[in-house]
Amino acid sequence: MSEPLDPAMFHDPDCEDRAQPIRVGGKWTAMVLRCLEDGQPRRFSELRVPLHRITPKVLTETLRTMERNGFLARTEYEENPPRVEYALTELGRSLIGPLDTACSWARAHGPEIVEAREAYRA
Amino acid sequence: MSEPLDPAMFHDPDCEDRAQPIRVGGKWTAMVLRCLEDGQPRRFSELRVPLHRITPKVLTETLRTMERNGFLARTEYEENPPRVEYALTELGRSLIGPLDTACSWARAHGPEIVEAREAYRA
DNA sequence: CTGTATCCCGGCGGATACTG
DNA sequence: CAGTATCCGCCGGGATACAG
């Protein structure tokens, strides 16, 4: 472990609003990634459905943060009615590997956690 | 994406205290993992130092949760003064791989995030 | 359709003091 | 030494209503 252990090092002092740690994940970030991993750009409303009817405010926040971090690109078409599409960037796609790794671990070891919790009651 | 997208599926209804989502990570969990990854058991006070003087309450919470999830084993020695040691379990060690994956990604792409954020200001 | 604007609540995480 | 007990502030995330 040559790296320092202070989580403060992951904070971005240049953030204009409130202190925003560098992190992949709000609650919905990974799932937005899953929704877009096939490469197909999707619209705001299209994303809401598979995300369990996430409220517009929360989806906007998630999308903005991901855009700000360079994970996805927002394309606004000058039409009426308005149309906006979101798609993963190359950087966003690079997250899919690590995400898969984490998901694989969870699928493989999730039951062990449940067992451990039951055992802990005793 | 054959998996469902509802984060509610990650919640453990059998948790006795408050609803506790199945998650690897509180703020300090990954770093506790780093502190113990060499296999050497460590004491409560030994852990506090590299963890940026984390308060005892927060360290206790982190440790308890990790123990409850089966990530580490707590061994209490009947001595005076009291001595308690924490060590990773096999399940805990299995987390190191995914953690390394995430850290590698962060080290490789962190600068791109910083760039993206700067670009976003414009 | 694609968002903002408000309001609100629960809980994580920290500070401080105390105990077996 | 190895924790508990209390108190508290912040902010992520949800509900609801409204706007361009």
mmCIF file of all heavy atoms in Angstrom, chain A residues 76-94:
data_model
loop_
_atom_site.group_PDB
_atom_site.id
_atom_site.type_symbol
_atom_site.label_atom_id
_atom_site.label_comp_id
_atom_site.label_asym_id
_atom_site.label_seq_id
_atom_site.Cartn_x
_atom_site.Cartn_y
_atom_site.Cartn_z
ATOM 1 N N GLU A 76 -28.279 18.061 -27.646
ATOM 2 C CA GLU A 76 -29.578 18.714 -27.686
ATOM 3 C C GLU A 76 -29.938 18.997 -29.148
ATOM 4 O O GLU A 76 -29.174 19.655 -29.861
ATOM 5 C CB GLU A 76 -29.492 20.027 -26.894
ATOM 6 C CG GLU A 76 -30.825 20.625 -26.545
ATOM 7 C CD GLU A 76 -30.669 21.801 -25.578
ATOM 8 O OE1 GLU A 76 -29.539 21.988 -25.061
ATOM 9 O OE2 GLU A 76 -31.643 22.525 -25.374
ATOM 10 N N TYR A 77 -31.092 18.507 -29.585
ATOM 11 C CA TYR A 77 -31.519 18.748 -30.953
ATOM 12 C C TYR A 77 -32.518 19.895 -30.985
ATOM 13 O O TYR A 77 -33.459 19.935 -30.188
ATOM 14 C CB TYR A 77 -32.153 17.482 -31.535
ATOM 15 C CG TYR A 77 -31.177 16.332 -31.635
ATOM 16 C CD1 TYR A 77 -31.013 15.437 -30.579
ATOM 17 C CD2 TYR A 77 -30.402 16.146 -32.789
ATOM 18 C CE1 TYR A 77 -30.103 14.391 -30.665
ATOM 19 C CE2 TYR A 77 -29.498 15.106 -32.881
ATOM 20 C CZ TYR A 77 -29.348 14.232 -31.810
ATOM 21 O OH TYR A 77 -28.455 13.195 -31.901
ATOM 22 N N GLU A 78 -32.305 20.806 -31.903
ATOM 23 C CA GLU A 78 -33.167 21.993 -32.003
ATOM 24 C C GLU A 78 -34.452 21.627 -32.720
ATOM 25 O O GLU A 78 -34.610 21.893 -33.911
ATOM 26 C CB GLU A 78 -32.442 23.112 -32.762
ATOM 27 C CG GLU A 78 -31.034 23.397 -32.289
ATOM 28 C CD GLU A 78 -30.999 24.397 -31.122
ATOM 29 O OE1 GLU A 78 -31.994 25.138 -30.993
ATOM 30 O OE2 GLU A 78 -30.002 24.405 -30.375
ATOM 31 N N GLU A 79 -35.362 21.037 -31.979
ATOM 32 C CA GLU A 79 -36.625 20.618 -32.561
ATOM 33 C C GLU A 79 -37.773 21.064 -31.673
ATOM 34 O O GLU A 79 -37.583 21.579 -30.587
ATOM 35 C CB GLU A 79 -36.675 19.082 -32.686
ATOM 36 C CG GLU A 79 -35.595 18.500 -33.595
ATOM 37 C CD GLU A 79 -35.627 16.989 -33.598
ATOM 38 O OE1 GLU A 79 -36.513 16.423 -32.912
ATOM 39 O OE2 GLU A 79 -34.792 16.370 -34.262
ATOM 40 N N ASN A 80 -38.951 20.780 -32.168
ATOM 41 C CA ASN A 80 -40.126 20.990 -31.342
ATOM 42 C C ASN A 80 -41.112 19.846 -31.584
ATOM 43 O O ASN A 80 -41.575 19.669 -32.704
ATOM 44 C CB ASN A 80 -40.787 22.340 -31.681
ATOM 45 C CG ASN A 80 -41.749 22.754 -30.584
ATOM 46 O OD1 ASN A 80 -42.668 21.986 -30.261
ATOM 47 N ND2 ASN A 80 -41.544 23.926 -30.021
ATOM 48 N N PRO A 81 -41.387 19.064 -30.556
ATOM 49 C CA PRO A 81 -40.962 19.203 -29.154
ATOM 50 C C PRO A 81 -39.483 18.924 -28.981
ATOM 51 O O PRO A 81 -38.888 18.234 -29.817
ATOM 52 C CB PRO A 81 -41.819 18.151 -28.434
ATOM 53 C CG PRO A 81 -42.110 17.117 -29.453
ATOM 54 C CD PRO A 81 -42.227 17.871 -30.749
ATOM 55 N N PRO A 82 -38.903 19.468 -27.911
ATOM 56 C CA PRO A 82 -37.462 19.322 -27.675
ATOM 57 C C PRO A 82 -37.029 17.864 -27.562
ATOM 58 O O PRO A 82 -37.793 17.011 -27.135
ATOM 59 C CB PRO A 82 -37.251 20.057 -26.354
ATOM 60 C CG PRO A 82 -38.593 20.164 -25.731
ATOM 61 C CD PRO A 82 -39.561 20.221 -26.850
ATOM 62 N N ARG A 83 -35.781 17.620 -27.981
ATOM 63 C CA ARG A 83 -35.255 16.259 -27.901
ATOM 64 C C ARG A 83 -33.808 16.325 -27.444
ATOM 65 O O ARG A 83 -33.008 17.093 -27.984
ATOM 66 C CB ARG A 83 -35.352 15.581 -29.276
ATOM 67 C CG ARG A 83 -34.949 14.122 -29.250
ATOM 68 C CD ARG A 83 -35.318 13.465 -30.584
ATOM 69 N NE ARG A 83 -34.156 12.837 -31.228
ATOM 70 C CZ ARG A 83 -33.627 13.218 -32.380
ATOM 71 N NH1 ARG A 83 -34.138 14.241 -33.030
ATOM 72 N NH2 ARG A 83 -32.586 12.590 -32.876
ATOM 73 N N VAL A 84 -33.493 15.550 -26.441
ATOM 74 C CA VAL A 84 -32.136 15.504 -25.907
ATOM 75 C C VAL A 84 -31.720 14.051 -25.780
ATOM 76 O O VAL A 84 -32.508 13.215 -25.345
ATOM 77 C CB VAL A 84 -32.059 16.187 -24.515
ATOM 78 C CG1 VAL A 84 -30.646 16.100 -23.952
ATOM 79 C CG2 VAL A 84 -32.499 17.634 -24.614
ATOM 80 N N GLU A 85 -30.503 13.772 -26.194
ATOM 81 C CA GLU A 85 -30.039 12.393 -26.095
ATOM 82 C C GLU A 85 -28.748 12.296 -25.291
ATOM 83 O O GLU A 85 -27.877 13.167 -25.377
ATOM 84 C CB GLU A 85 -29.824 11.794 -27.495
ATOM 85 C CG GLU A 85 -31.132 11.464 -28.187
ATOM 86 C CD GLU A 85 -30.914 10.710 -29.474
ATOM 87 O OE1 GLU A 85 -29.788 10.745 -30.025
ATOM 88 O OE2 GLU A 85 -31.859 10.067 -29.950
ATOM 89 N N TYR A 86 -28.661 11.231 -24.543
ATOM 90 C CA TYR A 86 -27.473 10.967 -23.732
ATOM 91 C C TYR A 86 -26.783 9.707 -24.236
ATOM 92 O O TYR A 86 -27.432 8.717 -24.546
ATOM 93 C CB TYR A 86 -27.856 10.799 -22.269
ATOM 94 C CG TYR A 86 -28.426 12.057 -21.660
ATOM 95 C CD1 TYR A 86 -29.790 12.326 -21.718
ATOM 96 C CD2 TYR A 86 -27.599 12.985 -21.045
ATOM 97 C CE1 TYR A 86 -30.314 13.490 -21.161
ATOM 98 C CE2 TYR A 86 -28.105 14.147 -20.487
ATOM 99 C CZ TYR A 86 -29.467 14.398 -20.558
ATOM 100 O OH TYR A 86 -29.979 15.548 -20.017
ATOM 101 N N ALA A 87 -25.461 9.763 -24.309
ATOM 102 C CA ALA A 87 -24.684 8.593 -24.741
ATOM 103 C C ALA A 87 -23.374 8.546 -23.965
ATOM 104 O O ALA A 87 -22.844 9.581 -23.553
ATOM 105 C CB ALA A 87 -24.409 8.672 -26.243
ATOM 106 N N LEU A 88 -22.875 7.351 -23.761
ATOM 107 C CA LEU A 88 -21.597 7.214 -23.074
ATOM 108 C C LEU A 88 -20.454 7.744 -23.919
ATOM 109 O O LEU A 88 -20.436 7.587 -25.133
ATOM 110 C CB LEU A 88 -21.325 5.741 -22.735
ATOM 111 C CG LEU A 88 -22.227 5.102 -21.686
ATOM 112 C CD1 LEU A 88 -21.726 3.693 -21.381
ATOM 113 C CD2 LEU A 88 -22.282 5.941 -20.424
ATOM 114 N N THR A 89 -19.496 8.364 -23.256
ATOM 115 C CA THR A 89 -18.247 8.731 -23.914
ATOM 116 C C THR A 89 -17.286 7.544 -23.823
ATOM 117 O O THR A 89 -17.608 6.518 -23.217
ATOM 118 C CB THR A 89 -17.600 9.921 -23.193
ATOM 119 O OG1 THR A 89 -17.327 9.540 -21.847
ATOM 120 C CG2 THR A 89 -18.511 11.129 -23.207
ATOM 121 N N GLU A 90 -16.118 7.725 -24.381
ATOM 122 C CA GLU A 90 -15.100 6.679 -24.263
ATOM 123 C C GLU A 90 -14.745 6.458 -22.795
ATOM 124 O O GLU A 90 -14.621 5.315 -22.334
ATOM 125 C CB GLU A 90 -13.848 7.091 -25.059
ATOM 126 C CG GLU A 90 -12.868 5.973 -25.287
ATOM 127 C CD GLU A 90 -13.516 4.794 -26.011
ATOM 128 O OE1 GLU A 90 -14.312 5.016 -26.957
ATOM 129 O OE2 GLU A 90 -13.246 3.653 -25.611
ATOM 130 N N LEU A 91 -14.620 7.555 -22.068
ATOM 131 C CA LEU A 91 -14.331 7.456 -20.634
ATOM 132 C C LEU A 91 -15.445 6.722 -19.903
ATOM 133 O O LEU A 91 -15.190 5.874 -19.034
ATOM 134 C CB LEU A 91 -14.150 8.868 -20.041
ATOM 135 C CG LEU A 91 -13.801 8.958 -18.553
ATOM 136 C CD1 LEU A 91 -12.527 8.206 -18.235
ATOM 137 C CD2 LEU A 91 -13.684 10.416 -18.116
ATOM 138 N N GLY A 92 -16.670 7.017 -20.277
ATOM 139 C CA GLY A 92 -17.806 6.333 -19.667
ATOM 140 C C GLY A 92 -17.766 4.835 -19.947
ATOM 141 O O GLY A 92 -18.004 4.019 -19.057
ATOM 142 N N ARG A 93 -17.455 4.495 -21.186
ATOM 143 C CA ARG A 93 -17.366 3.072 -21.545
ATOM 144 C C ARG A 93 -16.266 2.370 -20.761
ATOM 145 O O ARG A 93 -16.377 1.192 -20.444
ATOM 146 C CB ARG A 93 -17.119 2.914 -23.050
ATOM 147 C CG ARG A 93 -18.390 2.853 -23.881
ATOM 148 C CD ARG A 93 -18.072 2.540 -25.344
ATOM 149 N NE ARG A 93 -17.367 3.642 -25.998
ATOM 150 C CZ ARG A 93 -17.973 4.689 -26.556
ATOM 151 N NH1 ARG A 93 -19.279 4.772 -26.542
ATOM 152 N NH2 ARG A 93 -17.276 5.643 -27.123
ATOM 153 N N SER A 94 -15.207 3.109 -20.445
ATOM 154 C CA SER A 94 -14.090 2.491 -19.717
ATOM 155 C C SER A 94 -14.502 2.074 -18.306
ATOM 156 O O SER A 94 -13.804 1.311 -17.642
ATOM 157 C CB SER A 94 -12.906 3.456 -19.650
ATOM 158 O OG SER A 94 -13.147 4.487 -18.705
#
